[in-house]
Amino acid sequence: MTGVPRPSWLSLGLALSLTLLACATDVGGGSPGVGGSQGGSGQPGAAGTTGAGGTTGTGGTGGSGVTGSAGSTSTAGTNGTAGGGGTSGSSGSTGAGGSSGATGAGGAAGGAAGTTGGGGRGGTTGSGGATGAGGRGGSSGAAGSAGSTATGTAGSSATGTAGATGQGGSGGAGGGPVNLNGRKALLLVDSPSSLDDGEVILKLTLENRGMIVTVGPGTGPATIASGQNVILVSSSVGSGDFTPIFKDAAVPMIVFGNSAYSNLGWIASSSGKGSVNSTTLCSLVDGTSPLVSDVMTGVGFKMILDSRSTSLYWGTPGGSPIRAASIMGQATQLVSFAYEKGAAMATGTAAARRVGFGVKVDSVQDLTIEGFKLLMAAIEWTAGP
């Protein structure tokens, strides 16, 4: 008869261990280790806690410690101690490594890239400079203002286009107003301590152009003309007073009125001068002269406003004068004329530039636009660099 195989102690021990593991938690291996908790959102997941090793098996044949479900990496289960009264227990099996804690969800995605600012609009094109006034080399047009810089929205600002440079004024020869800043003028009057209205206005006009004005008596001395750029002789000064002292001064000179023309050697006789009512029309004689500014050729104009009733003074200079303006229809009766330095006069030669201006100083404040332009052209021609 075939014998029933007898179970070995090893088989019985294994079966007993499995049975005990299925029973109460105080029998056999330790409880499974708790897995590591999931990492918080946005931060890396915290490492799982280490699963506890299996506790020591009891009984005859020591059972293997149950694999602890470890947190991060489980430490090995401790060796089981020998079962009471039985054969030495097998060493507890090494606990399986605990599952790694789930990786925490990554932090929120980085902020969306800022929208690129649109490029700033270009600055507006600057307006062209205004056309300069003509005249004695018409005033140059002012340079156009530079285009303003646009402010871009989140983009770079574009620089505006520079304004166009204004065109030079049309009119007489030259390149614009003469720079008179710092030039020196000697104003000869009858009474330096008591200027009339015309003399005050003439002085202020010169100073407004940047000139340094010295007021002196027509009687001199001649040394007061030293270092001056121009001498202006008011019509209040007696001809017999200033001509003996300043006639041959090597400084440019403007003489108002015509009472001194004979003594200065500009006319041959007293018949070479006269006067007319201030409402009489005048016109240019030589439109290319540097003394005519931008007054129109061939057109009649008044030198003095109608609101002022006074006279115009003319002369017929001898020698080689520069003819600027005359009584209209009377080309030899000049209200504005000049001599270049060294030019022949009716008597002798000019020691420096000389100008005859047929308006008395007390009428300067009543000059028309044309009259004022002729006066300023004379000042620039004599006092300029």
Side-chain angles (χ1 to χ4, degrees), residues 13 119 127 208 334 345:
S127 303
N208 284 339
L334 302 174
M345 305 185 299

Side-chain angles (χ1 to χ4, degrees), residues 316-362:
T316 302
S320 303
I322 298 171
R323 297 175 173 84
S326 72
I327 301 301
M328 192 170 187
Q330 303 293 329
T332 61
Q333 296 180 0
L334 302 174
V335 294
S336 177
F337 64 90
Y339 290 102
E340 183 57 273
K341 178 181 179 180
M345 305 185 299
T347 303
T349 58
R353 287 181 171 180
R354 298 287 189 258
V355 173
F357 198 74
V359 172
K360 288 192 173 181
V361 172
D362 63 1

Side-chain angles (χ1 to χ4, degrees), residues 128-134 139-142 166-170:
T131 301
S139 302
S140 299
Q167 300 297 315
S170 59

Side-chain angles (χ1 to χ4, degrees), residues 111-209:
T115 304
T116 300
R121 294 185 178 181
T124 56
T125 301
S127 303
T131 301
R136 187 168 182 270
S139 302
S140 299
S145 303
S148 59
T149 301
T151 302
T153 302
S156 298
S157 299
T159 303
T161 304
T165 300
Q167 300 297 315
S170 59
V178 174
N179 184 0
L180 298 178
N181 287 335
R183 307 296 286 178
K184 297 179 180 180
L186 172 62
L187 176 58
L188 297 180
V189 299
D190 179 55
S191 176
S193 62
S194 180
L195 304 182
D196 65 30
D197 290 346
E199 291 165 345
V200 170
I201 291 175
L202 179 58
K203 180 176 181 291
L204 291 175
T205 299
L206 299 174
E207 290 173 338
N208 284 339
R209 287 296 301 272

Side-chain angles (χ1 to χ4, degrees), residues 114-318:
T115 304
T116 300
R121 294 185 178 181
T124 56
T125 301
S127 303
T131 301
R136 187 168 182 270
S139 302
S140 299
S145 303
S148 59
T149 301
T151 302
T153 302
S156 298
S157 299
T159 303
T161 304
T165 300
Q167 300 297 315
S170 59
V178 174
N179 184 0
L180 298 178
N181 287 335
R183 307 296 286 178
K184 297 179 180 180
L186 172 62
L187 176 58
L188 297 180
V189 299
D190 179 55
S191 176
S193 62
S194 180
L195 304 182
D196 65 30
D197 290 346
E199 291 165 345
V200 170
I201 291 175
L202 179 58
K203 180 176 181 291
L204 291 175
T205 299
L206 299 174
E207 290 173 338
N208 284 339
R209 287 296 301 272
M211 299 185 71
I212 301 170
V213 182
T214 299
V215 178
T219 54
T223 54
I224 62 176
S226 178
Q228 300 295 320
N229 298 116
V230 64
I231 300 171
L232 297 100
V233 184
S234 172
S235 49
S236 67
V237 179
S239 173
D241 292 332
F242 87 90
T243 52
I245 300 169
F246 297 101
K247 175 180 180 293
D248 296 320
V251 178
M253 181 184 299
I254 299 175
V255 178
F256 291 85
N258 64 1
S259 62
Y261 286 1
S262 293
N263 290 344
L264 290 169
W266 296 356
I267 60 176
S269 66
S270 59
S271 62
K273 64 179 183 179
S275 64
V276 296
N277 189 280
S278 59
T279 58
T280 305
L281 292 179
C282 300
S283 62
L284 299 184
V285 178
D286 182 0
T288 65
S289 165
L291 298 173
V292 300
S293 185
D294 62 346
V295 178
M296 295 181 65
T297 303
V299 176
F301 58 87
K302 295 179 181 179
M303 291 283 287
I304 297 175
L305 297 171
D306 288 340
S307 58
R308 174 69 185 273
S309 179
T310 184
S311 298
L312 284 179
Y313 300 88
W314 57 266
T316 302

